[in-house]
Amino acid sequence: MADAKVIPFDDDRSRGSAQRTSRRRSAPRRKGDPVAGVKALPGQGEGRPQDVPQAADEQPAPAEPQSRMPGRVPGPRTGGGGGWDRRIAGGLAFLRRRLTGEYEVDDFGYDEELTDQVLMSMLRPFYEKYFRVEVKGIENIPADGGALIVANHSGTLPLDGLMMQVAVHDNHPDGRHLRLLAADLVFMLPVINELARKAGHTLACAEDAERLLERGELVGVMPEGFKGIGKPFSERYKLQRFGRGGFVSTALRTGSPIVPCSIVGAEEIYPMIGNAKTLARVLGIPYFPITPTFPWLGPLGAVPLPTKWTIQFGEPIPTDGYPPEAAEDPMLMFNLTDQVREQIQHSLYKLLVQRRSVFF
């Protein structure tokens, strides 16, 4: 696919717009108007009513403007069906490009067209209708250039990262895309591996993150990792250790700002009340969650609870003012890591106080 290219959707043009604009219609005859007052049109045959002079004190009723005619409904030639025409044409063009390979992906496997047209459309119902995500502070994400978004991680399954990706995609005024750093396990699972690559996710390592930031991409990272999503329900909204501060080192090397992000609502979708560690070791996974519904209800127990979410992006922490050698200073990295962690934790507590209910 190295020689593939993106062809824009077909743009249907409205046909005959000039003809429709120039076509004039006479005002409808009102109930009670005398027929004798209507003039015969030129070129018509005989037998039509002839002109009858009006009385001196009788003035003709002004024609009502066409835009105020009651009961007018635009037909298919006035734009009523243009939206569906464009959607069908765009969908057919999309399918043609997928079948012929006339689309492009970057060297990470990111397929922007597939993400915009398919993957985001699949996630959007959960984002808008199921979790009813409310976004705050989207203006704190830069309009251009690289930036590192650091968020808390929770929920047993990493749905919070996907919802954060939709939040940036649908709410940022410049339509920016978020590239998430994911754990090794994501890229070891069949199907999930391919979808993650297509959606722009990449391995959570300093080299990949640095390359993306240098390209001016938005990069999302959740430093808690499996310790965050696998923690018991009794420790909800208590941040775990943020690793060794590798994300701070990457931000310092590229001079990218760090945007703290706090997510409330994900902790309650799968209340984890236990962990079958022996079974987890057999399956080769970090933990095997036990919730009030899973595994007791089988596949039905894997349905997340419809909690109400809030995603807040905090004020960015600049890093471009530090010298290049600052990325090797362990004390500076520790201080910046602690600053980001404390800012996220403080925002979590603040959002929890403001929350009316888990589900509303």
Side-chain angles (χ1 to χ4, degrees):
M1 297 183 184
D3 56 346
K5 59 182 181 179
V6 174
I7 299 178
F9 287 166
D10 294 342
D11 186 13
D12 290 352
R13 305 290 184 185
S14 55
R15 296 186 291 269
S17 59
Q19 296 178 359
R20 293 195 299 273
T21 305
S22 60
R23 187 180 298 131
R24 301 297 296 256
R25 297 181 180 178
S26 59
R29 183 172 62 88
R30 297 181 177 181
K31 184 177 180 181
D33 288 348
V35 180
V38 180
K39 297 184 178 181
L41 298 176
Q44 289 182 339
E46 297 181 357
R48 300 286 184 182
Q50 301 300 319
D51 294 347
V52 178
Q54 293 179 334
D57 58 345
E58 209 175 285
Q59 297 295 332
E64 189 174 352
Q66 186 176 357
S67 60
R68 297 184 180 180
M69 289 183 182
R72 281 201 67 203
V73 179
R77 291 187 60 82
T78 59
W84 283 108
D85 291 343
R86 283 191 295 272
R87 290 182 182 181
I88 294 174
L92 293 176
F94 173 78
L95 290 176
R96 176 177 60 81
R97 287 194 293 275
R98 306 315 296 187
L99 294 175
T100 59
E102 296 179 347
Y103 59 93
E104 64 180 16
V105 297
D106 66 8
D107 50 349
F108 290 95
Y110 175 46
D111 190 335
E112 182 176 344
E113 183 186 45
L114 182 68
T115 300
D116 288 346
Q117 302 298 323
V118 178
L119 301 181
M120 289 294 107
S121 299
M122 295 171 60
L123 294 173
R124 197 166 287 120
F126 294 94
Y127 174 87
E128 295 179 347
K129 304 298 183 182
Y130 199 78
F131 296 127
R132 296 147 291 148
V133 180
E134 178 184 359
V135 178
K136 299 180 179 181
I138 193 70
E139 68 278 359
N140 290 319
I141 299 178
D144 53 21
L148 187 65
I149 299 180
V150 182
N152 60 304
H153 208 12
S154 62
T156 304
L157 292 180
L159 298 181
D160 50 358
L162 300 177
M163 294 300 104
M164 183 171 64
Q165 187 178 13
V166 180
V168 174
H169 180 276
D170 287 3
N171 291 276
H172 197 277
D174 294 286
R176 303 205 64 181
H177 295 78
L178 180 63
R179 310 289 294 269
L180 292 173
L181 303 180
D184 302 6
L185 180 61
V186 174
F187 301 101
M188 296 171 58
L189 300 175
V191 181
I192 301 297
N193 170 28
E194 186 68 19
L195 290 177
R197 289 289 185 186
K198 293 289 186 182
H201 307 169
T202 188
L203 193 64
C205 63
E207 292 78 10
D208 286 359
E210 190 170 339
R211 288 170 58 195
L212 288 172
L213 290 172
E214 288 176 346
R215 294 182 184 183
E217 300 280 358
L218 283 180
V219 179
V221 61
M222 296 174 164
E224 292 177 280
F226 289 119
K227 299 188 303 293
I229 56 176
K231 65 178 178 287
F233 187 67
S234 59
E235 298 181 13
R236 59 191 179 278
Y237 298 115
K238 295 179 181 178
L239 294 182
Q240 304 298 302
R241 193 172 67 91
F242 268 23
R244 301 175 182 175
F247 68 92
V248 172
S249 176
T250 302
L252 288 171
R253 287 192 180 95
T254 59
S256 304
I258 301 175
V259 181
C261 177
S262 303
I263 303 175
V264 167
E267 292 275 15
E268 294 88 2
I269 59 174
Y270 295 111
M272 186 170 167
I273 58 177
N275 179 16
K277 296 181 180 181
T278 302
L279 186 56
R281 284 195 297 268
V282 172
L283 297 176
I285 55 179
Y287 55 87
F288 188 89
I290 298 176
T291 72
T293 58
F294 182 83
W296 326 113
L297 299 182
L300 186 61
V303 177
L305 297 178
T307 58
K308 176 74 170 61
W309 287 35
T310 301
I311 299 179
Q312 177 171 313
F313 299 96
E315 295 184 3
I317 300 173
T319 62
D320 53 355
Y322 295 95
E325 61 272 13
E328 307 301 330
D329 185 350
M331 186 57 66
L332 176 61
M333 285 195 298
F334 175 81
N335 291 335
L336 285 177
T337 301
D338 192 60
Q339 180 182 352
V340 175
R341 186 179 181 278
E342 288 299 321
Q343 189 167 336
I344 295 175
Q345 185 70 81
H346 178 74
S347 296
L348 287 174
Y349 288 149
K350 189 174 181 180
L351 291 173
L352 289 171
V353 171
Q354 297 173 351
R355 184 170 65 168
R356 297 178 301 171
S357 168
V358 174
F359 299 100
F360 303 103

